Amino acid sequence: MAATETPMQRERAQTIYEKSKPGRRAAVLPSAGVPEPPLEELIPKELLRVESPRLPEIAEPEIVRHYNRLSRRNFDLDTGFYPLGSCTMKHNPRLNERVAALPGHARLHPAQDPRRAQGALELMWLLQESLAEICGLPHVSLQPSAGSHGELAGLLLTRAYHADRGEQRTKVLAPDTSHGTNPATVTMAGYEVVKVATNGQGGVEMDDLRAKVSDEVACLMLTNPNTLGLFDENIAEIAGVIHEVGGTLYYDGANLNAVMGHSRPGDMGFDIVHVNLHKSFSQPHGGGGPGAGPIAVSERIAPFLPRPQVTRREGGNGSGPSYDLDFDRPKSIGRLRGFQGNFGVFVRSYAYILSLGADGLAEASEIAVLNANYLKARLAQGRAGKHLPIAFDRHCMHEFVLSGKPMKREMGLATLDLAKRLLDFGFHPPTVYFPLLVEEALMVEPTETETKESLDAFADAVEQILAEGEQDPEIARQAPYSTPVRRLDEVKATRQPVVRQALS
Amino acid sequence: MSRYTSATSADRAAMLETIGASSTAELFDQVPEALRLDRPLALPPGMSEAEVFERLAELAGRNADAEEQVCFLGAGMYDHYVPAIVDAITQRSEFLTPYTPYQPEISQGGLQVMFEFQTAMSELTGLPISTAGLYEGPSSVASAGYLAIGATGRRRFVVSRGVHPHSRETLATYAEGFGAEIVEVGLKDGVTDPAALADAVDGETAAVFLQNPNFLGVIEDVEALGGAAKAEDALLVVAVDPMTLSVLKPPGECGADVALGEGQPLGNRLDFGGPSFGFFCGTEALIRRMPGRIAGETDDVDGRRGFVLALQTREQHIRREKATHNICTAQALNALAAMVHLSWLGREGFRELGELLVRRTAYARQRLAAVEGVELLHKAPVAREFALRLDAPVGPVLERCAEHGIAAGYPLGREYPEYENGLLVAITERRSKEQIDELADVFGTAISAERGEFLSHSESKSPQPQEIG
Ligand SMILES: Cc1ncc(COP(=O)(O)O)c(C=O)c1O
């Protein structure tokens, strides 16, 4: 395919430092209005900086243009379908941005006296209550900053729980389908990870689980539905096996979007759940955060929750309830971060919960599951059905995993090639090469906010790419063609890392 | 249909037919019946956009924000002016709504921002390597602990009491998991006690943790203190306030191996504590142990310059249990806000702002120290925040100031019982001379009122036997 350069490709990347010229500036600061002695009279000279950091020197119009042009070199959810499995790329309501930006939220100092932050504490309390109800677990801490931070909280809670009973356990079980943050967290929390196998239905292999449980097991970490998009039907039995040896059960809530209002982790037997507010509860993903990873826990874990906790006191004499921050929690694992958590995220997610309400949340999960099954059915037809078979052929929940193994064998196209060719069709590809269990995996999560038309268009594009691949696989192997840059040399970036702009 | 979904009944019917299912309920069949929720969630019904707005505005209205009060609160987060272009750029769909740049060909915008951000943080700290950022300040301190254990094979941290209490507590929380002992070194005359620090560091010490300016606002002699770490081959980890790095000697020139901190002062709003971001910089030697994303420069197949996530073999999605950290979703949008703010300030503006803070702080410190019943907690040099001791109970004084529309500062007593009536006062470019003068006046009145009350109270009470229990 003759690659003629698009205008954006012709425009070579130039950093803001390369656009800088001495003497240019944007900011005009207020004058000091106070005496202005030389700095050396206020701070000993040897503690002062000699040369200013070489920040860009550039006026406002060019800053705006620079970042707007850069923004156009991103693909984003507002512009196109983004079926990135496990990430729940659902619509981000702009109402949530508006309410988060209200000065009462955005300009509230985190050290404000709780008596003057009653609205914020009430909001946190209400969000806690809502998440407790959705998860089916009574106590919530909003502190963790993302899913992985919630996982760490969960394992530290597990450690504190066992220590409180005079026990020192060493192992944490996790299925081989688990997300990378699970095993990474296990090590960080000072435990050893033990992998559990997956059975023919995509669930936990019960015999393997039974063989690996012992009183050394502190916890089992599980995602349900799991990363194959399948609900583990043996979950009650699994919970029984773990609880019998005294372990805790941790629910990686990355896939909660499948079951809101339909099934609750607490009822499944889990002790600790994290919720990714940037997935199920519509916080925008921001190009890689911010998010938040609140945890909900059972009674027996509650005494160990992070400090501080939001507490509510019923009012008397006609006054309403009041809210406070409780630091006096002797069994608490302590803080996981500064201040109270990613409050701006709480505002957005609470606005989302208020907008949808009980019915709307259940409907969101229902449509998420309907959309996934529909797209799965569409991709079971035609060439996709032949070259990209479903890894476990049953109804899925909110996402499903295809295997590109036949495509690779028969057409010489790797999953990566298909993904790159999808870019030329204007789609964000699914998650690729995860879960590790499935060869040449493609993990597809459409979410509830996509229309049938979008799903059809995606299925059509896959069909077209496969048809094209039958004729000439080289097209996909060299893709993409239309993106701001084409395939990048990732090996070079790691072997000879250049991680900042050289400045003179 | 809710307002965020689009499946009409005709769509549903057509989709179910393609699936070969009779109802959506059938799709949930894999959930064992006993685990299906047989009632609606006990949450209120959905509300219209206008109603949600009103409800959230009502909640927001019950907070005393920095628009309603003159805010002298700091302790790691500051009421800086965030320029309008920060909002305009961070609210663009192209930055707001994608995820982590897993597909670099369609994520060059975000990746280049990371690269530019890394350059800026490297410039600020004087260290060659910066990551694309972590959650926030205190958990970044804890992450440095995890890095130090891996880098040295030792399990002992020596931590100055001048490090933010939230950071010290977070480090202790994490250390309970990965296993490390923490030794705290006290403050003397407002700075980390150098003799006690030298005594505490030994051959088992993985890292020494300092903060500059420290929690009391005092500028530490990081270079001199760091000698103790160097002598035992322990890592020197320094938490810094990025806004002071235009005027203070950067940690990279003071021997720091890791410099990190809370990024909120750069382009991020207060948001009652988050989201902001943590920055994390280190020496060349630590590049393969750094936590989180790092963007790197490379070429595409046609030779065009481009950016990718580099050194991913450190990360959880590749290395799993052997990863250098568990972080996945971080705070990319907040780092973008910082980058835009820094571009707006520019090299000159950033320095001018730092100098402005130092001078206004010096003025405020002098003005408040002259108030009857107030003394400086220490005389050591400060940058943008300082600590006072009141000759009156600090809680009621703050309450009186609040009644005059002023959040006068951060009381030290809970976290530093040794400074029972201590108060930390922070200055930003938003705090004018007039506001500082007003604070001094209100403060003076409040303190004398409290002292009067306090004295008459204790007089009337003094003959009474003290209540015990
Ligand atoms: C299954 C699963 N678990 C855990 C995580 C980690 O969550 P976070 O990125 O919020 O740390 C993710 C997503 O990123 C995930 O998909």
Side-chain angles (χ1 to χ4, degrees):
Chain A
M1 212 158 110
T4 42
E5 277 198 318
T6 66
M8 215 183 279
Q9 288 172 345
R10 217 169 285 132
E11 178 193 325
R12 299 299 155 92
Q14 209 186 2
T15 68
I16 194 155
Y17 303 94
E18 290 160 335
K19 296 177 180 172
S20 166
K21 265 197 189 161
R24 287 182 180 159
R25 63 181 303 152
V28 175
L29 299 176
S31 57
V34 299
E36 299 188 57
L39 241 43
E40 300 80 52
E41 286 177 21
L42 301 172
I43 298 170
K45 199 161 183 263
E46 66 274 15
L47 302 180
L48 287 173
R49 182 165 198 145
V50 179
E51 202 204 344
S52 296
R54 290 162 293 182
L55 293 172
E57 295 180 81
I58 183 163
E60 177 164 321
E62 284 303 310
I63 299 173
V64 170
R65 185 165 292 166
H66 177 74
Y67 287 108
N68 277 2
R69 286 185 99 99
L70 272 190
S71 80
R72 292 168 54 231
R73 296 166 84 86
N74 270 356
F75 182 91
D76 67 288
L77 171 63
D78 279 351
T79 306
F81 186 43
Y82 211 128
L84 189 64
S86 206
C87 298
T88 313
M89 303 301 290
K90 66 166 71 173
H91 174 64
N92 309 131
R94 282 311 190 283
L95 163 65
N96 303 354
E97 297 305 308
R98 177 176 281 183
V99 292
L102 290 168
H105 296 139
R107 288 195 67 199
L108 179 59
H109 195 283
Q112 180 57 280
D113 186 322
R115 286 170 301 173
R116 293 191 168 73
Q118 286 294 297
L121 294 174
E122 180 172 348
L123 187 149
M124 289 172 70
W125 172 268
L126 291 166
L127 178 61
Q128 287 178 193
E129 294 288 290
S130 308
L131 295 175
E133 167 66 4
I134 292 164
C135 294
L137 286 162
H139 301 281
V140 172
S141 165
L142 299 176
Q143 217 180 87
S145 309
S148 74
H149 209 207
E151 292 170 32
L152 182 63
L155 291 190
L156 293 172
L157 288 169
T158 291
R159 181 178 283 283
Y161 164 76
H162 290 306
D164 191 55
R165 293 153 38 104
E167 287 187 13
Q168 266 254 327
R169 296 178 175 228
T170 54
K171 295 187 168 125
V172 172
L173 305 181
D176 49 11
T177 52
S178 72
H179 191 262
T181 51
N182 292 190
T185 303
V186 172
T187 310
M188 215 166 159
Y191 287 111
E192 179 196 336
V193 66
V194 178
K195 255 189 264 178
V196 184
T198 297
N199 67 22
Q201 287 78 50
V204 170
E205 170 60 54
M206 293 305 293
D207 289 341
D208 195 46
L209 177 69
R210 285 202 194 85
K212 284 170 179 165
V213 293
S214 71
D215 59 8
E216 290 181 0
V217 170
C219 176
L220 167 67
M221 298 180 89
L222 212 62
T223 315
N224 195 27
N226 62 21
T227 57
L228 297 162
L230 303 171
F231 195 95
D232 201 317
E233 296 169 332
N234 297 324
I235 186 60
E237 201 182 338
I238 294 168
V241 169
I242 297 300
H243 286 154
E244 208 163 288
V245 296
T248 64
L249 212 61
Y250 185 88
Y251 184 93
D252 176 337
N255 292 345
L256 194 69
N257 207 49
V259 292
M260 295 186 297
H262 296 270
S263 185
R264 308 192 304 170
D267 300 337
M268 299 175 206
F270 286 93
D271 299 282
I272 310 167
V273 173
H274 85 244
V275 180
N276 307 66
L277 295 185
H278 45 299
K279 296 183 179 179
S280 312
F281 296 94
S282 82
Q283 160 69 26
H285 281 93
I295 47 174
V297 305
S298 59
E299 281 308 335
R300 62 177 178 153
I301 304 295
F304 311 102
L305 280 174
R307 270 194 298 255
Q309 272 291 97
V310 179
T311 54
R312 172 185 159 114
R313 183 181 300 157
E314 294 310 322
N317 294 335
S319 64
S322 62
Y323 300 86
D324 203 356
L325 290 172
D326 180 15
F327 291 87
D328 185 20
R329 302 179 55 83
K331 288 189 172 185
S332 167
I333 57 169
R335 273 186 179 281
L336 287 158
R337 53 160 290 152
F339 295 108
Q340 287 80 237
N342 280 344
F343 177 78
V345 179
F346 308 156
V347 177
R348 293 179 181 86
S349 292
Y350 185 59
Y352 177 74
I353 290 171
L354 281 185
S355 295
L356 291 199
D359 288 354
L361 288 174
E363 198 231 35
S365 286
E366 183 193 357
I367 304 296
V369 170
L370 176 68
N371 277 357
N373 278 283
Y374 175 69
L375 186 54
K376 176 168 88 70
R378 281 292 323 264
L379 291 171
Q381 301 165 354
R383 290 183 173 83
K386 182 161 148 250
H387 298 294
L388 293 171
I390 179 91
F392 291 85
D393 192 10
R394 26 183 287 215
H395 285 327
C396 64
M397 296 295 286
H398 67 307
E399 66 187 358
F400 57 94
V401 178
L402 304 178
S403 171
K405 192 177 162 190
M407 175 177 71
K408 190 172 183 185
R409 192 180 53 223
E410 291 149 18
M411 301 169 62
L413 282 189
T415 284
L416 187 73
D417 300 322
L418 173 64
K420 296 302 181 198
R421 189 64 178 133
L422 276 166
L423 302 177
D424 287 325
F425 284 74
F427 294 101
H428 195 288
T431 295
V432 293
Y433 300 100
F434 181 79
L436 308 178
L437 177 74
V438 177
E439 254 183 85
E440 295 289 317
L442 276 148
M443 186 191 213
V444 190
E445 181 184 9
T447 84
E448 73 278 11
T449 60
E450 295 298 333
T451 60
K452 176 175 177 293
E453 296 88 308
S454 292
L455 307 180
D456 285 332
F458 180 77
D460 292 345
V462 172
E463 179 68 18
Q464 204 179 327
I465 292 168
L466 292 172
E468 175 190 87
E470 285 174 354
Q471 297 301 311
D472 182 2
E474 207 46 33
I475 297 175
R477 275 190 219 128
Q478 302 298 326
Y481 304 92
S482 58
T483 48
V485 293
R486 298 185 54 224
R487 277 194 212 197
L488 291 148
D489 188 348
E490 303 200 25
V491 174
K492 178 183 165 192
T494 292
R495 293 242 171 95
Q496 305 140 32
V498 177
V499 300
R500 58 155 290 173
Q501 172 82 50
L503 298 172
S504 49
Chain B
M1 255 189 303
S2 80
R3 59 182 176 274
Y4 306 136
T5 55
S6 312
T8 63
S9 34
D11 287 339
R12 281 170 178 256
M15 291 162 85
L16 284 168
E17 194 184 328
T18 305
I19 295 167
S22 58
S23 66
T24 53
E26 192 184 318
L27 303 175
F28 283 87
D29 272 356
Q30 53 190 306
V31 179
E33 205 161 336
L35 298 179
R36 277 181 236 156
L37 193 63
D38 57 2
R39 60 166 176 84
L41 288 169
L43 295 173
M47 289 158 77
S48 69
E49 174 159 341
E51 287 167 312
V52 176
F53 180 83
E54 292 305 330
R55 173 69 177 125
L56 272 289
E58 187 270 317
L59 285 168
R62 284 194 278 122
N63 300 320
D65 58 69
E67 226 140 88
E68 185 180 324
Q69 277 188 329
V70 181
C71 180
F72 291 94
L73 289 163
M77 294 210 172
Y78 303 89
D79 181 35
H80 284 290
Y81 181 75
V82 178
I85 60 168
V86 169
D87 293 345
I89 290 168
T90 56
Q91 284 294 307
R92 281 185 71 89
S93 292
E94 299 90 335
F95 286 129
L96 186 69
T97 71
Y99 209 176
T100 306
Y102 297 120
Q103 297 288 341
E105 297 87 348
I106 50 163
S107 310
Q108 286 300 297
L111 284 160
Q112 188 176 324
V113 169
M114 288 180 181
F115 185 81
E116 293 181 356
F117 168 82
Q118 289 164 197
T119 306
M121 298 323 292
S122 166
E123 281 294 313
L124 261 56
T125 59
L127 283 164
I129 312 297
S130 169
T131 70
L134 299 177
Y135 302 134
E136 35 60 75
S139 74
S140 301
V141 170
S143 300
Y146 194 50
L147 176 147
I149 286 177
T152 64
R154 304 173 184 175
R155 293 186 174 272
R156 193 162 179 274
F157 302 144
V158 174
V159 184
S160 161
R161 195 162 168 72
V163 173
H164 197 301
H166 293 178
S167 300
R168 281 184 282 129
E169 194 176 341
T170 303
L171 180 65
T173 304
Y174 276 52
E176 198 60 43
F178 53 64
E181 177 202 356
I182 297 178
V183 181
E184 191 170 290
V185 173
L187 299 175
K188 200 176 155 196
D189 304 326
V191 294
T192 307
D193 181 344
L197 183 76
D199 276 354
V201 182
D202 63 14
E204 291 306 304
T205 304
V208 171
F209 291 80
L210 302 174
Q211 181 175 311
N212 192 36
N214 69 24
F215 191 71
L216 302 181
V218 180
I219 303 167
E220 297 263 12
D221 190 343
V222 173
E223 201 167 358
L225 291 167
K230 299 285 139 189
E232 297 288 358
D233 287 329
L235 296 188
L236 178 61
V237 177
V238 187
V240 284
D241 173 350
M243 266 306 177
T244 65
L245 288 177
S246 59
V247 290
L248 299 186
K249 192 165 182 179
E253 290 174 24
C254 301
D257 297 284
V258 174
L260 50 77
E262 170 57 56
Q264 183 275 339
L266 305 177
N268 280 267
R269 42 205 210 191
L270 289 166
D271 272 341
F272 200 44
S276 58
F277 70 95
F279 55 94
F280 198 103
C281 301
T283 57
E284 203 76 60
L286 296 174
I287 187 167
R288 282 165 209 279
R289 293 191 180 276
M290 302 287 269
R293 316 286 184 197
I294 300 178
E297 186 177 329
T298 189
D299 305 315
D300 80 355
V301 287
D302 299 330
R304 282 181 208 94
R305 183 189 196 184
F307 302 91
V308 292
L309 292 175
L311 301 152
Q312 294 189 61
T313 44
R314 299 164 296 116
E315 294 191 65
Q316 45 78 26
H317 60 285
I318 310 262
R319 292 280 276 174
R320 299 179 69 82
E321 64 269 22
K322 295 196 181 70
T324 61
H325 201 280
N326 69 341
I327 191 166
C328 181
T329 299
Q331 311 270 143
L333 195 69
N334 306 92
L336 167 64
M339 190 58 221
V340 176
H341 190 195
L342 285 171
S343 303
W344 181 80
L345 285 169
R347 190 176 190 182
E348 292 301 317
F350 186 57
R351 174 148 199 111
E352 289 165 13
L353 178 52
E355 293 183 356
L356 175 72
L357 295 178
V358 170
R359 292 187 176 118
R360 284 219 190 136
T361 301
Y363 174 78
R365 194 186 196 202
Q366 187 192 14
R367 189 80 171 73
L368 290 177
V371 170
E372 177 76 22
V374 177
E375 59 178 357
L376 296 178
L377 198 58
H378 52 76
K379 301 223 159 40
V382 299
R384 60 117 98 230
E385 198 163 17
F386 56 93
L388 302 171
R389 181 187 286 118
L390 313 190
D391 185 20
V394 67
V397 170
L398 288 178
E399 193 55 35
R400 286 178 189 271
C401 293
E403 281 160 19
H404 284 85
I406 298 178
Y410 183 92
L412 290 167
R414 178 168 54 221
E415 286 147 330
Y416 292 87
E418 64 270 39
Y419 310 132
E420 197 196 333
N421 285 319
L423 186 72
L424 198 58
V425 179
I427 302 295
T428 69
E429 74 281 18
R430 292 182 101 138
R431 296 294 80 84
S432 64
K433 174 177 179 294
E434 291 67 34
Q435 290 177 334
I436 293 167
D437 290 341
E438 190 195 349
L439 170 66
D441 292 346
V442 169
F443 211 47
T445 315
I447 288 171
S448 66
E450 278 307 318
R451 282 171 100 197
E453 214 158 273
F454 184 63
L455 291 177
S456 62
H457 226 69
S458 46
E459 266 164 35
S460 72
K461 272 213 167 156
S462 54
Q464 309 283 330
Q466 207 184 333
E467 214 173 88
I468 298 170

